[in-house]
PDB file of all heavy atoms in Angstrom:
ATOM      1  N   GLY A   8      -1.007   2.970  26.086  1.00 49.00           N
ATOM      2  CA  GLY A   8       0.346   3.183  25.588  1.00 49.00           C
ATOM      3  C   GLY A   8       1.360   3.362  26.693  1.00 49.00           C
ATOM      4  O   GLY A   8       2.527   3.639  26.459  1.00 49.00           O
ATOM      5  N   LEU A   9       0.887   3.231  27.968  1.00 53.00           N
ATOM      6  CA  LEU A   9       1.774   3.414  29.115  1.00 53.00           C
ATOM      7  C   LEU A   9       2.908   2.409  29.057  1.00 53.00           C
ATOM      8  O   LEU A   9       2.701   1.213  29.082  1.00 53.00           O
ATOM      9  CB  LEU A   9       0.970   3.228  30.411  1.00 53.00           C
ATOM     10  CG  LEU A   9       1.709   3.454  31.728  1.00 53.00           C
ATOM     11  CD1 LEU A   9       2.189   4.894  31.814  1.00 53.00           C
ATOM     12  CD2 LEU A   9       0.814   3.112  32.902  1.00 53.00           C
ATOM     13  N   GLY A  10       4.098   2.895  28.987  1.00 79.00           N
ATOM     14  CA  GLY A  10       5.261   2.017  28.962  1.00 79.00           C
ATOM     15  C   GLY A  10       5.753   1.722  27.559  1.00 79.00           C
ATOM     16  O   GLY A  10       6.958   1.599  27.346  1.00 79.00           O
ATOM     17  N   ILE A  11       4.858   1.595  26.596  1.00 87.00           N
ATOM     18  CA  ILE A  11       5.266   1.270  25.229  1.00 87.00           C
ATOM     19  C   ILE A  11       6.090   2.403  24.627  1.00 87.00           C
ATOM     20  O   ILE A  11       7.148   2.175  24.027  1.00 87.00           O
ATOM     21  CB  ILE A  11       4.037   0.984  24.338  1.00 87.00           C
ATOM     22  CG1 ILE A  11       3.332  -0.304  24.802  1.00 87.00           C
ATOM     23  CG2 ILE A  11       4.455   0.869  22.870  1.00 87.00           C
ATOM     24  CD1 ILE A  11       4.162  -1.546  24.615  1.00 87.00           C
ATOM     25  N   GLU A  12       5.607   3.634  24.774  1.00 88.00           N
ATOM     26  CA  GLU A  12       6.321   4.761  24.175  1.00 88.00           C
ATOM     27  C   GLU A  12       7.699   4.943  24.802  1.00 88.00           C
ATOM     28  O   GLU A  12       8.662   5.294  24.111  1.00 88.00           O
ATOM     29  CB  GLU A  12       5.495   6.050  24.304  1.00 88.00           C
ATOM     30  CG  GLU A  12       4.267   6.096  23.403  1.00 88.00           C
ATOM     31  CD  GLU A  12       4.617   5.819  21.945  1.00 88.00           C
ATOM     32  OE1 GLU A  12       5.644   6.343  21.461  1.00 88.00           O
ATOM     33  OE2 GLU A  12       3.884   5.070  21.286  1.00 88.00           O
ATOM     34  N   ALA A  13       7.797   4.722  26.106  1.00 88.00           N
ATOM     35  CA  ALA A  13       9.103   4.832  26.760  1.00 88.00           C
ATOM     36  C   ALA A  13      10.060   3.775  26.230  1.00 88.00           C
ATOM     37  O   ALA A  13      11.245   4.047  25.985  1.00 88.00           O
ATOM     38  CB  ALA A  13       8.943   4.695  28.279  1.00 88.00           C
ATOM     39  N   GLN A  14       9.541   2.550  26.034  1.00 91.00           N
ATOM     40  CA  GLN A  14      10.377   1.486  25.474  1.00 91.00           C
ATOM     41  C   GLN A  14      10.788   1.807  24.044  1.00 91.00           C
ATOM     42  O   GLN A  14      11.952   1.633  23.663  1.00 91.00           O
ATOM     43  CB  GLN A  14       9.614   0.159  25.501  1.00 91.00           C
ATOM     44  CG  GLN A  14       9.353  -0.392  26.892  1.00 91.00           C
ATOM     45  CD  GLN A  14       8.501  -1.639  26.854  1.00 91.00           C
ATOM     46  OE1 GLN A  14       8.823  -2.608  26.164  1.00 91.00           O
ATOM     47  NE2 GLN A  14       7.394  -1.632  27.583  1.00 91.00           N
ATOM     48  N   ARG A  15       9.821   2.280  23.250  1.00 92.00           N
ATOM     49  CA  ARG A  15      10.117   2.611  21.852  1.00 92.00           C
ATOM     50  C   ARG A  15      11.175   3.717  21.772  1.00 92.00           C
ATOM     51  O   ARG A  15      12.097   3.659  20.950  1.00 92.00           O
ATOM     52  CB  ARG A  15       8.840   3.032  21.132  1.00 92.00           C
ATOM     53  CG  ARG A  15       9.063   3.383  19.661  1.00 92.00           C
ATOM     54  CD  ARG A  15       7.776   3.733  18.958  1.00 92.00           C
ATOM     55  NE  ARG A  15       6.959   2.553  18.690  1.00 92.00           N
ATOM     56  CZ  ARG A  15       5.754   2.341  19.215  1.00 92.00           C
ATOM     57  NH1 ARG A  15       5.227   3.229  20.058  1.00 92.00           N
ATOM     58  NH2 ARG A  15       5.071   1.251  18.931  1.00 92.00           N
ATOM     59  N   ASP A  16      11.050   4.711  22.636  1.00 93.00           N
ATOM     60  CA  ASP A  16      12.015   5.803  22.633  1.00 93.00           C
ATOM     61  C   ASP A  16      13.412   5.293  22.999  1.00 93.00           C
ATOM     62  O   ASP A  16      14.410   5.669  22.358  1.00 93.00           O
ATOM     63  CB  ASP A  16      11.574   6.883  23.628  1.00 93.00           C
ATOM     64  CG  ASP A  16      12.531   8.059  23.679  1.00 93.00           C
ATOM     65  OD1 ASP A  16      12.690   8.732  22.649  1.00 93.00           O
ATOM     66  OD2 ASP A  16      13.132   8.289  24.739  1.00 93.00           O
ATOM     67  N   ALA A  17      13.491   4.429  24.031  1.00 92.00           N
ATOM     68  CA  ALA A  17      14.790   3.904  24.457  1.00 92.00           C
ATOM     69  C   ALA A  17      15.440   3.065  23.356  1.00 92.00           C
ATOM     70  O   ALA A  17      16.639   3.181  23.082  1.00 92.00           O
ATOM     71  CB  ALA A  17      14.621   3.077  25.732  1.00 92.00           C
ATOM     72  N   VAL A  18      14.639   2.202  22.705  1.00 94.00           N
ATOM     73  CA  VAL A  18      15.174   1.337  21.651  1.00 94.00           C
ATOM     74  C   VAL A  18      15.579   2.159  20.430  1.00 94.00           C
ATOM     75  O   VAL A  18      16.627   1.914  19.815  1.00 94.00           O
ATOM     76  CB  VAL A  18      14.146   0.249  21.266  1.00 94.00           C
ATOM     77  CG1 VAL A  18      14.582  -0.491  19.999  1.00 94.00           C
ATOM     78  CG2 VAL A  18      13.976  -0.732  22.412  1.00 94.00           C
ATOM     79  N   THR A  19      14.751   3.144  20.064  1.00 95.00           N
ATOM     80  CA  THR A  19      15.062   3.974  18.896  1.00 95.00           C
ATOM     81  C   THR A  19      16.359   4.746  19.103  1.00 95.00           C
ATOM     82  O   THR A  19      17.208   4.830  18.199  1.00 95.00           O
ATOM     83  CB  THR A  19      13.902   4.953  18.615  1.00 95.00           C
ATOM     84  OG1 THR A  19      12.704   4.201  18.367  1.00 95.00           O
ATOM     85  CG2 THR A  19      14.204   5.821  17.409  1.00 95.00           C
ATOM     86  N   ARG A  20      16.513   5.332  20.294  1.00 94.00           N
ATOM     87  CA  ARG A  20      17.737   6.081  20.584  1.00 94.00           C
ATOM     88  C   ARG A  20      18.955   5.159  20.574  1.00 94.00           C
ATOM     89  O   ARG A  20      20.025   5.516  20.064  1.00 94.00           O
ATOM     90  CB  ARG A  20      17.620   6.784  21.933  1.00 94.00           C
ATOM     91  CG  ARG A  20      16.732   8.029  21.891  1.00 94.00           C
ATOM     92  CD  ARG A  20      16.778   8.842  23.172  1.00 94.00           C
ATOM     93  NE  ARG A  20      16.001   8.214  24.235  1.00 94.00           N
ATOM     94  CZ  ARG A  20      16.523   7.604  25.281  1.00 94.00           C
ATOM     95  NH1 ARG A  20      17.838   7.525  25.417  1.00 94.00           N
ATOM     96  NH2 ARG A  20      15.754   7.079  26.213  1.00 94.00           N
ATOM     97  N   PHE A  21      18.794   3.962  21.142  1.00 94.00           N
ATOM     98  CA  PHE A  21      19.902   2.999  21.169  1.00 94.00           C
ATOM     99  C   PHE A  21      20.281   2.578  19.747  1.00 94.00           C
ATOM    100  O   PHE A  21      21.468   2.532  19.396  1.00 94.00           O
ATOM    101  CB  PHE A  21      19.492   1.776  21.992  1.00 94.00           C
ATOM    102  CG  PHE A  21      20.498   0.662  21.958  1.00 94.00           C
ATOM    103  CD1 PHE A  21      21.602   0.664  22.793  1.00 94.00           C
ATOM    104  CD2 PHE A  21      20.333  -0.408  21.075  1.00 94.00           C
ATOM    105  CE1 PHE A  21      22.532  -0.368  22.749  1.00 94.00           C
ATOM    106  CE2 PHE A  21      21.261  -1.434  21.032  1.00 94.00           C
ATOM    107  CZ  PHE A  21      22.363  -1.413  21.872  1.00 94.00           C
ATOM    108  N   ALA A  22      19.271   2.272  18.922  1.00 94.00           N
ATOM    109  CA  ALA A  22      19.530   1.830  17.548  1.00 94.00           C
ATOM    110  C   ALA A  22      20.253   2.912  16.748  1.00 94.00           C
ATOM    111  O   ALA A  22      21.197   2.628  15.992  1.00 94.00           O
ATOM    112  CB  ALA A  22      18.214   1.450  16.865  1.00 94.00           C
ATOM    113  N   ALA A  23      19.826   4.163  16.913  1.00 94.00           N
ATOM    114  CA  ALA A  23      20.467   5.259  16.191  1.00 94.00           C
ATOM    115  C   ALA A  23      21.925   5.426  16.624  1.00 94.00           C
ATOM    116  O   ALA A  23      22.813   5.662  15.793  1.00 94.00           O
ATOM    117  CB  ALA A  23      19.696   6.556  16.426  1.00 94.00           C
ATOM    118  N   ALA A  24      22.176   5.289  17.922  1.00 93.00           N
ATOM    119  CA  ALA A  24      23.536   5.468  18.433  1.00 93.00           C
ATOM    120  C   ALA A  24      24.458   4.326  18.017  1.00 93.00           C
ATOM    121  O   ALA A  24      25.657   4.531  17.807  1.00 93.00           O
ATOM    122  CB  ALA A  24      23.503   5.584  19.958  1.00 93.00           C
ATOM    123  N   GLU A  25      23.890   3.105  17.883  1.00 93.00           N
ATOM    124  CA  GLU A  25      24.712   1.922  17.607  1.00 93.00           C
ATOM    125  C   GLU A  25      24.709   1.516  16.134  1.00 93.00           C
ATOM    126  O   GLU A  25      25.332   0.521  15.771  1.00 93.00           O
ATOM    127  CB  GLU A  25      24.231   0.743  18.464  1.00 93.00           C
ATOM    128  CG  GLU A  25      24.381   0.960  19.967  1.00 93.00           C
ATOM    129  CD  GLU A  25      25.834   1.005  20.398  1.00 93.00           C
ATOM    130  OE1 GLU A  25      26.698   0.469  19.662  1.00 93.00           O
ATOM    131  OE2 GLU A  25      26.125   1.578  21.470  1.00 93.00           O
ATOM    132  N   GLY A  26      23.990   2.265  15.293  1.00 94.00           N
ATOM    133  CA  GLY A  26      24.009   1.975  13.870  1.00 94.00           C
ATOM    134  C   GLY A  26      23.123   0.829  13.431  1.00 94.00           C
ATOM    135  O   GLY A  26      23.441   0.124  12.466  1.00 94.00           O
ATOM    136  N   PHE A  27      21.981   0.636  14.112  1.00 95.00           N
ATOM    137  CA  PHE A  27      21.025  -0.407  13.720  1.00 95.00           C
ATOM    138  C   PHE A  27      19.869   0.219  12.943  1.00 95.00           C
ATOM    139  O   PHE A  27      19.423   1.329  13.258  1.00 95.00           O
ATOM    140  CB  PHE A  27      20.461  -1.128  14.946  1.00 95.00           C
ATOM    141  CG  PHE A  27      21.412  -2.081  15.596  1.00 95.00           C
ATOM    142  CD1 PHE A  27      22.048  -1.741  16.785  1.00 95.00           C
ATOM    143  CD2 PHE A  27      21.672  -3.320  15.033  1.00 95.00           C
ATOM    144  CE1 PHE A  27      22.927  -2.612  17.389  1.00 95.00           C
ATOM    145  CE2 PHE A  27      22.554  -4.204  15.629  1.00 95.00           C
ATOM    146  CZ  PHE A  27      23.184  -3.851  16.818  1.00 95.00           C
ATOM    147  N   ASP A  28      19.371  -0.514  11.967  1.00 96.00           N
ATOM    148  CA  ASP A  28      18.193  -0.117  11.205  1.00 96.00           C
ATOM    149  C   ASP A  28      17.026  -0.987  11.655  1.00 96.00           C
ATOM    150  O   ASP A  28      17.005  -2.193  11.407  1.00 96.00           O
ATOM    151  CB  ASP A  28      18.445  -0.307   9.702  1.00 96.00           C
ATOM    152  CG  ASP A  28      17.222   0.048   8.863  1.00 96.00           C
ATOM    153  OD1 ASP A  28      16.371   0.830   9.345  1.00 96.00           O
ATOM    154  OD2 ASP A  28      17.130  -0.458   7.727  1.00 96.00           O
ATOM    155  N   LEU A  29      16.062  -0.395  12.358  1.00 96.00           N
ATOM    156  CA  LEU A  29      14.912  -1.139  12.864  1.00 96.00           C
ATOM    157  C   LEU A  29      13.937  -1.395  11.711  1.00 96.00           C
ATOM    158  O   LEU A  29      13.228  -0.485  11.273  1.00 96.00           O
ATOM    159  CB  LEU A  29      14.233  -0.364  13.994  1.00 96.00           C
ATOM    160  CG  LEU A  29      15.078  -0.117  15.245  1.00 96.00           C
ATOM    161  CD1 LEU A  29      14.318   0.740  16.248  1.00 96.00           C
ATOM    162  CD2 LEU A  29      15.505  -1.436  15.873  1.00 96.00           C
ATOM    163  N   THR A  30      13.902  -2.628  11.242  1.00 95.00           N
ATOM    164  CA  THR A  30      13.089  -2.960  10.072  1.00 95.00           C
ATOM    165  C   THR A  30      11.687  -3.435  10.431  1.00 95.00           C
ATOM    166  O   THR A  30      10.814  -3.501   9.572  1.00 95.00           O
ATOM    167  CB  THR A  30      13.779  -4.048   9.233  1.00 95.00           C
ATOM    168  OG1 THR A  30      13.996  -5.208  10.065  1.00 95.00           O
ATOM    169  CG2 THR A  30      15.122  -3.547   8.715  1.00 95.00           C
ATOM    170  N   ALA A  31      11.458  -3.777  11.699  1.00 94.00           N
ATOM    171  CA  ALA A  31      10.130  -4.219  12.137  1.00 94.00           C
ATOM    172  C   ALA A  31      10.046  -4.071  13.641  1.00 94.00           C
ATOM    173  O   ALA A  31      11.065  -4.058  14.346  1.00 94.00           O
ATOM    174  CB  ALA A  31       9.884  -5.676  11.730  1.00 94.00           C
ATOM    175  N   GLU A  32       8.818  -3.927  14.134  1.00 94.00           N
ATOM    176  CA  GLU A  32       8.620  -3.903  15.586  1.00 94.00           C
ATOM    177  C   GLU A  32       7.404  -4.744  15.942  1.00 94.00           C
ATOM    178  O   GLU A  32       6.446  -4.855  15.168  1.00 94.00           O
ATOM    179  CB  GLU A  32       8.466  -2.482  16.110  1.00 94.00           C
ATOM    180  CG  GLU A  32       7.191  -1.766  15.679  1.00 94.00           C
ATOM    181  CD  GLU A  32       7.027  -0.426  16.387  1.00 94.00           C
ATOM    182  OE1 GLU A  32       8.031   0.293  16.579  1.00 94.00           O
ATOM    183  OE2 GLU A  32       5.880  -0.096  16.737  1.00 94.00           O
ATOM    184  N   PHE A  33       7.452  -5.366  17.103  1.00 94.00           N
ATOM    185  CA  PHE A  33       6.379  -6.228  17.586  1.00 94.00           C
ATOM    186  C   PHE A  33       5.999  -5.767  18.997  1.00 94.00           C
ATOM    187  O   PHE A  33       6.865  -5.570  19.844  1.00 94.00           O
ATOM    188  CB  PHE A  33       6.834  -7.686  17.605  1.00 94.00           C
ATOM    189  CG  PHE A  33       7.161  -8.228  16.233  1.00 94.00           C
ATOM    190  CD1 PHE A  33       8.421  -8.039  15.677  1.00 94.00           C
ATOM    191  CD2 PHE A  33       6.202  -8.898  15.484  1.00 94.00           C
ATOM    192  CE1 PHE A  33       8.728  -8.514  14.414  1.00 94.00           C
ATOM    193  CE2 PHE A  33       6.492  -9.381  14.216  1.00 94.00           C
ATOM    194  CZ  PHE A  33       7.763  -9.184  13.683  1.00 94.00           C
ATOM    195  N   VAL A  34       4.696  -5.604  19.207  1.00 92.00           N
ATOM    196  CA  VAL A  34       4.185  -5.095  20.479  1.00 92.00           C
ATOM    197  C   VAL A  34       3.289  -6.151  21.112  1.00 92.00           C
ATOM    198  O   VAL A  34       2.367  -6.668  20.467  1.00 92.00           O
ATOM    199  CB  VAL A  34       3.394  -3.785  20.279  1.00 92.00           C
ATOM    200  CG1 VAL A  34       2.867  -3.270  21.618  1.00 92.00           C
ATOM    201  CG2 VAL A  34       4.271  -2.731  19.614  1.00 92.00           C
ATOM    202  N   GLU A  35       3.536  -6.442  22.390  1.00 89.00           N
ATOM    203  CA  GLU A  35       2.812  -7.497  23.100  1.00 89.00           C
ATOM    204  C   GLU A  35       2.146  -6.917  24.344  1.00 89.00           C
ATOM    205  O   GLU A  35       2.725  -6.090  25.050  1.00 89.00           O
ATOM    206  CB  GLU A  35       3.791  -8.588  23.535  1.00 89.00           C
ATOM    207  CG  GLU A  35       3.148  -9.904  23.909  1.00 89.00           C
ATOM    208  CD  GLU A  35       3.339 -10.929  22.804  1.00 89.00           C
ATOM    209  OE1 GLU A  35       4.486 -11.331  22.576  1.00 89.00           O
ATOM    210  OE2 GLU A  35       2.331 -11.316  22.183  1.00 89.00           O
ATOM    211  N   VAL A  36       0.918  -7.367  24.614  1.00 83.00           N
ATOM    212  CA  VAL A  36       0.254  -7.064  25.878  1.00 83.00           C
ATOM    213  C   VAL A  36       0.002  -8.399  26.555  1.00 83.00           C
ATOM    214  O   VAL A  36      -1.000  -9.073  26.290  1.00 83.00           O
ATOM    215  CB  VAL A  36      -1.075  -6.302  25.664  1.00 83.00           C
ATOM    216  CG1 VAL A  36      -1.729  -6.000  27.006  1.00 83.00           C
ATOM    217  CG2 VAL A  36      -0.833  -5.020  24.887  1.00 83.00           C
ATOM    218  N   GLU A  37       0.930  -8.790  27.386  1.00 73.00           N
ATOM    219  CA  GLU A  37       0.844 -10.117  28.003  1.00 73.00           C
ATOM    220  C   GLU A  37       1.820 -10.197  29.164  1.00 73.00           C
ATOM    221  O   GLU A  37       2.893  -9.588  29.132  1.00 73.00           O
ATOM    222  CB  GLU A  37       1.177 -11.207  26.970  1.00 73.00           C
ATOM    223  CG  GLU A  37       1.117 -12.633  27.495  1.00 73.00           C
ATOM    224  CD  GLU A  37      -0.235 -12.980  28.087  1.00 73.00           C
ATOM    225  OE1 GLU A  37      -1.206 -13.175  27.333  1.00 73.00           O
ATOM    226  OE2 GLU A  37      -0.301 -13.040  29.328  1.00 73.00           O
ATOM    227  N   THR A  38       1.454 -10.936  30.189  1.00 64.00           N
ATOM    228  CA  THR A  38       2.342 -11.133  31.325  1.00 64.00           C
ATOM    229  C   THR A  38       3.542 -11.971  30.918  1.00 64.00           C
ATOM    230  O   THR A  38       3.480 -12.748  29.960  1.00 64.00           O
ATOM    231  CB  THR A  38       1.607 -11.827  32.483  1.00 64.00           C
ATOM    232  OG1 THR A  38       2.520 -12.005  33.577  1.00 64.00           O
ATOM    233  CG2 THR A  38       1.086 -13.195  32.068  1.00 64.00           C
ATOM    234  N   GLY A  39       4.636 -11.808  31.652  1.00 56.00           N
ATOM    235  CA  GLY A  39       5.831 -12.594  31.394  1.00 56.00           C
ATOM    236  C   GLY A  39       5.942 -13.790  32.302  1.00 56.00           C
ATOM    237  O   GLY A  39       6.944 -14.497  32.287  1.00 56.00           O
ATOM    238  N   LYS A  40       4.904 -14.040  33.114  1.00 57.00           N
ATOM    239  CA  LYS A  40       4.972 -15.102  34.103  1.00 57.00           C
ATOM    240  C   LYS A  40       4.476 -16.427  33.539  1.00 57.00           C
ATOM    241  O   LYS A  40       3.682 -16.471  32.603  1.00 57.00           O
ATOM    242  CB  LYS A  40       4.129 -14.746  35.337  1.00 57.00           C
ATOM    243  CG  LYS A  40       4.595 -13.490  36.063  1.00 57.00           C
ATOM    244  CD  LYS A  40       3.695 -13.196  37.240  1.00 57.00           C
ATOM    245  CE  LYS A  40       4.142 -11.942  37.977  1.00 57.00           C
ATOM    246  NZ  LYS A  40       3.241 -11.627  39.107  1.00 57.00           N
ATOM    247  N   GLY A  41       4.923 -17.523  34.146  1.00 52.00           N
ATOM    248  CA  GLY A  41       4.414 -18.842  33.802  1.00 52.00           C
ATOM    249  C   GLY A  41       5.316 -19.619  32.877  1.00 52.00           C
ATOM    250  O   GLY A  41       6.016 -19.052  32.041  1.00 52.00           O
ATOM    251  N   ALA A  42       5.291 -20.940  33.036  1.00 50.00           N
ATOM    252  CA  ALA A  42       6.137 -21.808  32.208  1.00 50.00           C
ATOM    253  C   ALA A  42       5.723 -21.765  30.742  1.00 50.00           C
ATOM    254  O   ALA A  42       6.530 -22.034  29.852  1.00 50.00           O
ATOM    255  CB  ALA A  42       6.068 -23.242  32.739  1.00 50.00           C
ATOM    256  N   ASP A  43       4.437 -21.429  30.488  1.00 56.00           N
ATOM    257  CA  ASP A  43       3.958 -21.390  29.106  1.00 56.00           C
ATOM    258  C   ASP A  43       3.941 -19.959  28.561  1.00 56.00           C
ATOM    259  O   ASP A  43       3.199 -19.660  27.622  1.00 56.00           O
ATOM    260  CB  ASP A  43       2.551 -21.988  29.023  1.00 56.00           C
ATOM    261  CG  ASP A  43       1.530 -21.206  29.850  1.00 56.00           C
ATOM    262  OD1 ASP A  43       1.945 -20.462  30.758  1.00 56.00           O
ATOM    263  OD2 ASP A  43       0.326 -21.348  29.568  1.00 56.00           O
ATOM    264  N   ALA A  44       4.775 -19.081  29.138  1.00 60.00           N
ATOM    265  CA  ALA A  44       4.746 -17.663  28.757  1.00 60.00           C
ATOM    266  C   ALA A  44       5.004 -17.475  27.270  1.00 60.00           C
ATOM    267  O   ALA A  44       4.355 -16.653  26.626  1.00 60.00           O
ATOM    268  CB  ALA A  44       5.771 -16.873  29.579  1.00 60.00           C
ATOM    269  N   LEU A  45       5.939 -18.238  26.703  1.00 63.00           N
ATOM    270  CA  LEU A  45       6.240 -18.067  25.280  1.00 63.00           C
ATOM    271  C   LEU A  45       5.042 -18.452  24.420  1.00 63.00           C
ATOM    272  O   LEU A  45       4.765 -17.807  23.398  1.00 63.00           O
ATOM    273  CB  LEU A  45       7.464 -18.897  24.890  1.00 63.00           C
ATOM    274  CG  LEU A  45       7.950 -18.722  23.441  1.00 63.00           C
ATOM    275  CD1 LEU A  45       8.256 -17.256  23.150  1.00 63.00           C
ATOM    276  CD2 LEU A  45       9.177 -19.581  23.178  1.00 63.00           C
ATOM    277  N   ASP A  46       4.310 -19.488  24.818  1.00 71.00           N
ATOM    278  CA  ASP A  46       3.123 -19.906  24.058  1.00 71.00           C
ATOM    279  C   ASP A  46       2.054 -18.824  24.077  1.00 71.00           C
ATOM    280  O   ASP A  46       1.241 -18.732  23.141  1.00 71.00           O
ATOM    281  CB  ASP A  46       2.551 -21.203  24.643  1.00 71.00           C
ATOM    282  CG  ASP A  46       3.493 -22.379  24.464  1.00 71.00           C
ATOM    283  OD1 ASP A  46       4.310 -22.324  23.527  1.00 71.00           O
ATOM    284  OD2 ASP A  46       3.424 -23.329  25.260  1.00 71.00           O
ATOM    285  N   ARG A  47       2.015 -18.022  25.143  1.00 77.00           N
ATOM    286  CA  ARG A  47       1.006 -16.967  25.264  1.00 77.00           C
ATOM    287  C   ARG A  47       1.490 -15.634  24.717  1.00 77.00           C
ATOM    288  O   ARG A  47       0.804 -14.618  24.877  1.00 77.00           O
ATOM    289  CB  ARG A  47       0.610 -16.803  26.738  1.00 77.00           C
ATOM    290  CG  ARG A  47      -0.182 -17.984  27.282  1.00 77.00           C
ATOM    291  CD  ARG A  47      -0.625 -17.776  28.719  1.00 77.00           C
ATOM    292  NE  ARG A  47       0.481 -17.945  29.665  1.00 77.00           N
ATOM    293  CZ  ARG A  47       1.113 -16.961  30.265  1.00 77.00           C
ATOM    294  NH1 ARG A  47       0.784 -15.718  30.021  1.00 77.00           N
ATOM    295  NH2 ARG A  47       2.099 -17.200  31.121  1.00 77.00           N
ATOM    296  N   ARG A  48       2.649 -15.619  24.094  1.00 84.00           N
ATOM    297  CA  ARG A  48       3.199 -14.372  23.564  1.00 84.00           C
ATOM    298  C   ARG A  48       3.510 -14.530  22.073  1.00 84.00           C
ATOM    299  O   ARG A  48       4.654 -14.678  21.663  1.00 84.00           O
ATOM    300  CB  ARG A  48       4.443 -13.982  24.364  1.00 84.00           C
ATOM    301  CG  ARG A  48       4.082 -13.523  25.781  1.00 84.00           C
ATOM    302  CD  ARG A  48       5.273 -13.500  26.712  1.00 84.00           C
ATOM    303  NE  ARG A  48       6.266 -12.520  26.313  1.00 84.00           N
ATOM    304  CZ  ARG A  48       7.384 -12.270  27.022  1.00 84.00           C
ATOM    305  NH1 ARG A  48       7.609 -12.919  28.141  1.00 84.00           N
ATOM    306  NH2 ARG A  48       8.251 -11.385  26.593  1.00 84.00           N
ATOM    307  N   PRO A  49       2.465 -14.506  21.230  1.00 89.00           N
ATOM    308  CA  PRO A  49       2.658 -14.711  19.791  1.00 89.00           C
ATOM    309  C   PRO A  49       3.529 -13.643  19.143  1.00 89.00           C
ATOM    310  O   PRO A  49       4.220 -13.918  18.157  1.00 89.00           O
ATOM    311  CB  PRO A  49       1.225 -14.672  19.231  1.00 89.00           C
ATOM    312  CG  PRO A  49       0.437 -13.917  20.250  1.00 89.00           C
ATOM    313  CD  PRO A  49       1.040 -14.276  21.569  1.00 89.00           C
ATOM    314  N   GLN A  50       3.510 -12.417  19.682  1.00 91.00           N
ATOM    315  CA  GLN A  50       4.336 -11.364  19.088  1.00 91.00           C
ATOM    316  C   GLN A  50       5.825 -11.614  19.331  1.00 91.00           C
ATOM    317  O   GLN A  50       6.660 -11.325  18.472  1.00 91.00           O
ATOM    318  CB  GLN A  50       3.929  -9.997  19.643  1.00 91.00           C
ATOM    319  CG  GLN A  50       2.543  -9.547  19.226  1.00 91.00           C
ATOM    320  CD  GLN A  50       2.385  -9.518  17.719  1.00 91.00           C
ATOM    321  OE1 GLN A  50       3.174  -8.868  17.028  1.00 91.00           O
ATOM    322  NE2 GLN A  50       1.386 -10.211  17.200  1.00 91.00           N
ATOM    323  N   LEU A  51       6.152 -12.179  20.488  1.00 89.00           N
ATOM    324  CA  LEU A  51       7.542 -12.540  20.740  1.00 89.00           C
ATOM    325  C   LEU A  51       7.963 -13.677  19.819  1.00 89.00           C
ATOM    326  O   LEU A  51       9.075 -13.668  19.259  1.00 89.00           O
ATOM    327  CB  LEU A  51       7.738 -12.949  22.199  1.00 89.00           C
ATOM    328  CG  LEU A  51       9.156 -13.404  22.593  1.00 89.00           C
ATOM    329  CD1 LEU A  51      10.187 -12.342  22.248  1.00 89.00           C
ATOM    330  CD2 LEU A  51       9.208 -13.749  24.079  1.00 89.00           C
TER     331      LEU A  51
END
């Protein structure tokens, strides 16, 4: 969960401050490198 909880906390606080309702969340464990990065990131 290293990093995920910090991201979730930052997004949740931002959404509450800006008036967004988070209706779904997607979590990925995958590198962002490579030309085929999107193909390897089904959650994105």
Side-chain angles (χ1 to χ4, degrees):
L9 183 62
I11 293 294
E12 288 307 318
Q14 292 175 54
R15 180 177 286 116
D16 180 62
V18 169
T19 300
R20 284 189 284 107
F21 174 83
E25 297 292 338
F27 286 104
D28 178 23
L29 297 176
T30 58
E32 68 173 39
F33 297 85
V34 180
E35 197 104 67
V36 180
E37 180 57 74
T38 180
K40 298 179 180 178
D43 62 340
L45 184 57
D46 294 335
R47 290 183 285 104
R48 289 164 65 177
Q50 293 304 305
L51 178 55

